[in-house]
Amino acid sequence: MSKNKSSESVKVVVRCRPLNRKEESNGPAGCIVQMDLRLGQVILRNPRAPASEPQKTFTFDAVYDANSKQGDLYDESVRPLIDSVLAGFNGTIFAYGQTGTGKTYTMQGAWMDPEKRGVIPNAFDHIFTHISRSQSDKQYLVRASYLEIYLEEVLDLLDPNHGNARALELRESPESGVYVRDLTSCVCKSIKEIEEVMNVGNQARAVAATDMNEHSSRSHALFLITVECSQPGPDGRKHIRVGRLNLVDLAGSERQAKTGVQGERLKEAAKINLSLSALGNVISALADGRSGHVPYRDSKLTRLLQDSLGGNAKTVMVATLGPAPQHYDETLTTLRYANRAKNIQNQPRVNEDPKDALLREFQMEIARLRAQLNHRKWRTKQKKEQVDGEGWERDGDEETEGEEDEEEGVEKDAEEYVKLEEQRLEREKQDIREDQFMLAEEKQRLLGEKEKMMGVLRKEQEATEQLTAKYKAMESKLLVGGKNIIDHTNEQQKMLEGKRHEIAEQTRSEREIQQQMLVRDDETVELRETFTSLQQEVEAKTKKLKKLYAKLQCIKAEIQDVNDEHVRSRQELEQTQNELTRELKFKYLIIENFIPPEEKNKIMNRLTFDPEEDQWKFQPLVPAESKSSSQMKKRPASAVGYKRPISQYARVAIVMGAHSRYRAENIMFLELDMTPPNSAALDRSTESEPNQSHSLDNSPTKDRRVRKSRSWCQTPKSITSSSSNVSLAACHTATPMTAQ
Ligand code: ADP
Ligand code: MG
């Protein structure tokens, strides 16, 4: 990827946890990871290799050894990123490493111990402290969401019925990139509230998992914070900046054993690390820079992190290592992974005035509610004036009062007005009661009217109260700089914090300079060297040759390693493929032998592939447009001449006159006119129509009716002619009742 002015590389830091008790007791082999904090280097020793084999060295933006504190990592590597998010950039921090190496410890840590609080709680502190200390013309809206990706399904951890919630879909918009549809997002007004959100999510995660460690090592947890900030610009208009922060605790990077599993377990095994291997491929493709295609769409995780890797975001990757010799292979893989990620170039930019900023919607809603309240106030005032004929006492200076006073005034006015009105109505009621000249009926009516008026008054007051409450609730969601949160820190503490940042900044730049110096060292040494004799030159050159030879050996070993790893992963993929093919053959066997071909075809014709969701879906039977009208599908048209669809069998039966059941079409066949009006007519009928039943009347009118009824039936010619050779039984077995 070409470097442009605004591009910056992904920051990669490595952290190694201390040996745990079990590992300590394992023997004297000890730690295989050494760290040079000053240079930001990790030196890895292969416990199985002979001592002569050179150790592997990797350089990163920063390294943290077993003695490192959570605060150090935060101040040096995370704080600048959170500052950027507060300024309107997108930011991502993700922890990558084998299970048990301290990803969750780094991201969350021990909440209760201030020394051991991880990146996430420190970020909460940082964000809200920043807001409380910012200028009062800034308005903030902070939202948080929490999700996990488990077996390639995105699950909302803040959904109250997380257990049975269905997987969420990913969508893409030009404004905010890839996002999760219908994801719960909570507006947070304080550190306490956002911590509560985190707790709720963590509990949902724990409930979903029977064995927490097992679950967490297979699922990716993403905590998303959106900070929107509105500030008046030089043009006098309010401008909104939106910073999105992704805090990602990835699944364990170790290879899951896939051997000997079948069915559901196999599917699960195939999906477990799909996201992680896709992440690896994305990182490789981006770091390589030559391959045009970056396979973001291969997994949910890579799609969600699309912006964080090679896009519009600032990204920090924390690779965690275990120091124990038995995990050498995994540690090496993690270091290689991290080393590759260093080369990814991002193009972060400030998200200014995006269309989907929620803060703007909130501001508009607040303005609307305020206008409504003002309108009510004005109405109340008008009524009051009507009631007592006098103006309000506070009339004159009202408009010049501050907003808050004004709101208080609204409530006061309303209360005062209601009180006065109630008193007036009570008085009037009393007058009516005491009026001796009025009829009892009239009294009742007037009292009823007054009661009604009081009801209306109370209702109106309730509505105003509700509106005020809504307005206040809405407004409280917006945090105003330097106002909503009481900052307990005193000046001295603030200064101390400032100094700590300065030191962190200095350490970082010192390390950068050291690293640059190291690179240049070789060149400058060479340039400075002047040789007094040939012998000296030979010695120097031999030394250099040896150095280069050692380097060459290192690189050769590295190539061998990478090759081995490649072969290993290919074998694993082949194995998975074989198992999946076997599974597929099994499914085919069932389909071929147990599902009728026409059923299979019907199903196949209805299936379509949804690339968005990466799934096969059934097309609806009823077209989408008619679904909305909630009408039944139109009845199929019957064959011409029939009132309703008639089966082949029925048609043949009509022709044969076999059973009265099939004459249902022809009402004239119902035995209604059984009794003949006179015998003479009967005689004639017997003569003229020998096929008709003797009991049938044959008067001219009836005759017409019979003929007419026949015309309804309109037995098609083809059937009449072929009826002789159509076997009823055959028709019956073919399509007993279907309309043709
Ligand atoms: P992961 O999330 O990578 O599976 P955890 O964060 O759960 O690993 O860490 C495993 C154990 O190691 C935990 O008991 C944790 O307290 C401990 N641990 C990890 N990193 C450190 C560290 N830097 N310092 C002290 N203890 C650590
Ligand atoms: Mg974990």
Side-chain angles (χ1 to χ4, degrees), residues 15-18 65-66 68 97-106 213 216 249 320:
R15 185 179 204 186
C16 182
R17 70 158 165 76
D65 63 7
S68 65
Q98 195 189 351
T99 301
T101 49
K103 293 183 297 298
T104 309
Y105 181 82
T106 302
N213 209 19
S216 79
D249 187 355
T320 55

Side-chain angles (χ1 to χ4, degrees), residues 69-72 74 105 108-119 121-122 125 195 500:
K69 294 205 176 69
Q70 298 271 43
D72 296 341
Y74 189 83
Y105 181 82
Q108 301 202 28
W111 289 69
M112 291 305 148
D113 187 346
E115 284 281 300
K116 290 186 181 164
R117 283 159 73 88
V119 166
N122 280 327
D125 269 0
E195 280 180 354
R500 272 223 320 267

Side-chain angles (χ1 to χ4, degrees), residues 725-737:
N725 45 27
V726 172
S727 137
L728 271 180
C731 287
H732 186 71
T733 46
T735 43
M737 287 307 281

Side-chain angles (χ1 to χ4, degrees), residues 550-610:
K551 236 182 192 172
L552 180 72
Q553 291 307 318
C554 270
I555 289 170
K556 271 189 181 166
E558 190 75 18
I559 291 171
Q560 187 58 40
D561 274 358
V562 174
N563 262 342
D564 289 351
E565 202 187 303
H566 180 68
V567 169
R568 241 193 344 259
S569 63
R570 208 188 61 199
Q571 279 170 350
E572 256 177 44
L573 283 175
E574 275 172 1
Q575 196 193 343
T576 313
Q577 196 199 1
N578 284 345
E579 274 156 9
L580 286 172
T581 316
R582 215 170 58 202
E583 188 84 358
L584 194 68
K585 279 183 183 162
F586 176 65
K587 296 267 157 77
Y588 265 133
L589 192 81
I590 294 176
I591 293 170
E592 296 301 332
N593 290 289
F594 295 96
I595 300 180
E598 62 269 27
E599 290 303 317
K600 189 184 89 180
N601 288 341
K602 260 192 236 168
I603 295 170
M604 298 281 256
N605 290 338
R606 274 184 64 201
L607 282 172
T608 49
F609 190 73
D610 182 355

Side-chain angles (χ1 to χ4, degrees), residues 471-488:
Y471 169 71
K472 283 195 173 152
M474 250 348 234
E475 207 189 36
S476 75
K477 282 182 183 170
L478 295 192
L479 304 173
V480 180
K483 186 174 162 189
N484 291 54
I485 309 153
I486 304 149
D487 192 1
H488 295 291

